Amino acid sequence: MAKICVVGSVNMDIVTYVNDIPVRGQTVNGKKLVETAGGKGANQAVAVAKQNKDVALIGCIGDDYHGDMLLQSLREYKVDTSKLKQLQDTASGKTSIVVEDSGENFIIYLEGANKKLDKGYVRNTIQAEKNCEVLLVQLESPYDVVLEAMKTAHEQGIKVILDPAPSNHVTDELLQYAHLVLPNEQETREITGITITDEASALTAATIFKQKGIEQGVLKVGATGSYVFDKQDMTFIDAIQVKAIDTVGAGDCFAGAFASAYVDGLSLVEAAKHANIVAALKVTKAGAQDGIPTQQEVKDFCTERNLPCYVTK
Ligand code: RIB
């Protein structure tokens, strides 16, 4: 079976649900607080696994009780955790998240064990993973580690998909090792200086990505939809209308679902349409990983909405 490798963060998300996100200095009542598995890398790996694809996660967790819970959860979702290091005397990555009724959120991230992922380990692990066809990376892990992962994959002939989140660490050096990018609106703006408002501005942003060496990608524009660029072509994909209750991890879910379809040989547009459906369904459910739909749930949703279904196996 084709294999997707994810290098990235694993966090325990401590999430408070509120009516409205408070403004600075304001105190508001919360509705509930939950501890739930998250982390951009782990979320992406779970999204791949829930699409029934073989996936290995390369990262670090701590030896605290959160680390044990995160490991157990990843195993239950059938992510290969044999490359996940559990470090002694180390706290796992954690986040403090607030989600309001509209589904929007803010996140505060404490790196913990994620900070200790080292580039030698990542290089050796990718080199040893002979089945890896696609490497999926984001930017909650140390910059030099992500760069090393991308360089190693490049040398091994592995396709690199970069989800540039959070985008404050993106450099041209990093971008030169990506085959494909999946930025959201804000990430596109930070990397290219372009605010996408229409097809013309999306084309300009895509041109800038191409100048930086990336010929293919999906520019996500939230509730509007997304623009797929592939060399000279640009295709707009409409967003799917749903009632959002929790957007945490929607981008990670998109990336994992996209990679799952891509590794199966679907076209870029088909892979993006598939990811669009999976991520739309995710925001209707709570939890960065718990909310990611299974392949069967995706099929059922396609039937219910009369949408073309791109699920392959
Ligand atoms: O992208 C969502 C994720 O970002 C959350 O699960 C949280 O852990 C933060 O890393």
Side-chain angles (χ1 to χ4, degrees):
M1 201 194 296
K3 192 162 201 166
I4 296 171
C5 293
V6 180
V7 170
S9 55
V10 189
N11 302 329
M12 183 55 75
D13 290 344
I14 299 159
V15 188
T16 309
Y17 291 87
V18 296
N19 290 329
D20 295 296
I21 289 175
V23 296
R24 192 174 297 187
Q26 187 187 11
T27 302
V28 297
N29 279 1
K31 298 197 283 190
K32 74 176 169 179
L33 184 143
V34 294
E35 289 190 345
T36 185
K40 295 189 193 301
N43 298 345
Q44 293 184 353
V46 169
V48 174
K50 286 200 182 184
Q51 291 303 298
N52 297 346
K53 299 288 176 287
D54 196 10
V55 59
L57 176 60
I58 304 168
C60 288
I61 51 173
D63 60 351
D64 48 359
Y65 81 100
H66 280 153
D68 294 339
M69 285 164 69
L70 291 166
L71 185 58
Q72 189 189 338
S73 167
L74 285 164
R75 285 183 177 152
E76 280 169 11
Y77 285 131
K78 300 203 171 18
V79 172
D80 174 356
T81 56
S82 60
K83 317 291 183 291
L84 191 64
K85 277 188 174 178
Q86 188 161 26
L87 304 173
Q88 283 188 340
D89 302 324
T90 305
S92 297
K94 294 181 197 2
T95 61
S96 181
I97 300 182
V98 177
V99 179
E100 67 173 18
D101 285 348
S102 69
E104 288 304 324
N105 65 77
F106 76 73
I107 301 177
I108 299 165
Y109 169 50
L110 292 161
E111 296 160 289
N114 296 303
K115 201 177 174 178
K116 297 195 176 174
L117 185 60
D118 77 89
K119 56 185 195 179
Y121 174 73
V122 166
R123 168 170 283 275
N124 293 339
T125 307
I126 294 172
Q127 282 175 339
E129 187 54 75
K130 299 296 176 210
N131 289 333
C132 183
E133 290 181 18
V134 169
L135 174 75
L136 191 50
V137 285
Q138 1 59 42
L139 296 163
E140 272 185 344
S141 302
Y143 173 84
D144 62 329
V145 174
V146 179
L147 180 63
E148 190 74 5
M150 293 170 75
K151 272 187 190 168
T152 311
H154 228 267
E155 289 160 16
Q156 305 276 115
I158 297 168
K159 293 281 183 195
V160 179
I161 301 179
L162 170 65
D163 186 4
S167 55
N168 46 341
H169 305 305
V170 178
T171 62
D172 285 355
E173 185 190 21
L174 197 80
L175 291 174
Q176 67 178 302
Y177 296 105
H179 292 95
L180 256 150
V181 279
L182 307 173
N184 66 19
E185 263 172 299
Q186 179 230 330
E187 291 151 6
T188 297
R189 187 162 46 244
E190 277 189 41
I191 298 167
T192 66
I194 302 297
T195 301
I196 300 181
T197 50
D198 53 15
E199 188 168 340
S201 50
L203 265 171
T204 308
T207 304
I208 295 173
F209 274 114
K210 285 183 218 159
Q211 286 162 356
K212 292 176 185 291
I214 303 170
E215 298 254 293
Q216 299 177 314
V218 184
L219 309 176
K220 297 172 286 179
V221 271
T224 312
S226 48
Y227 292 92
V228 180
F229 68 94
D230 187 0
K231 300 190 175 73
Q232 304 316 317
D233 297 333
M234 171 79 88
T235 308
F236 176 70
I237 298 174
D238 250 326
I240 294 164
Q241 298 310 316
V242 288
K243 165 96 183 78
I245 64 151
D246 184 350
T247 56
V248 177
D252 308 328
C253 177
F254 186 99
F258 179 89
S260 308
Y262 179 76
V263 83
D264 265 351
L266 267 69
S267 73
L268 236 54
V269 171
E270 287 170 335
K273 285 183 176 172
H274 174 64
N276 198 29
I277 293 168
V278 183
L281 202 43
K282 191 270 143 236
V283 303
T284 66
K285 294 182 188 154
Q289 291 172 24
D290 293 344
I292 297 172
T294 62
Q295 199 180 58
Q296 188 57 51
E297 287 169 332
V298 174
K299 282 183 190 166
D300 294 345
F301 182 67
C302 291
T303 308
E304 184 191 310
R305 292 285 188 102
N306 202 20
L307 294 166
C309 201
Y310 300 93
V311 167
T312 48
K313 288 173 206 152

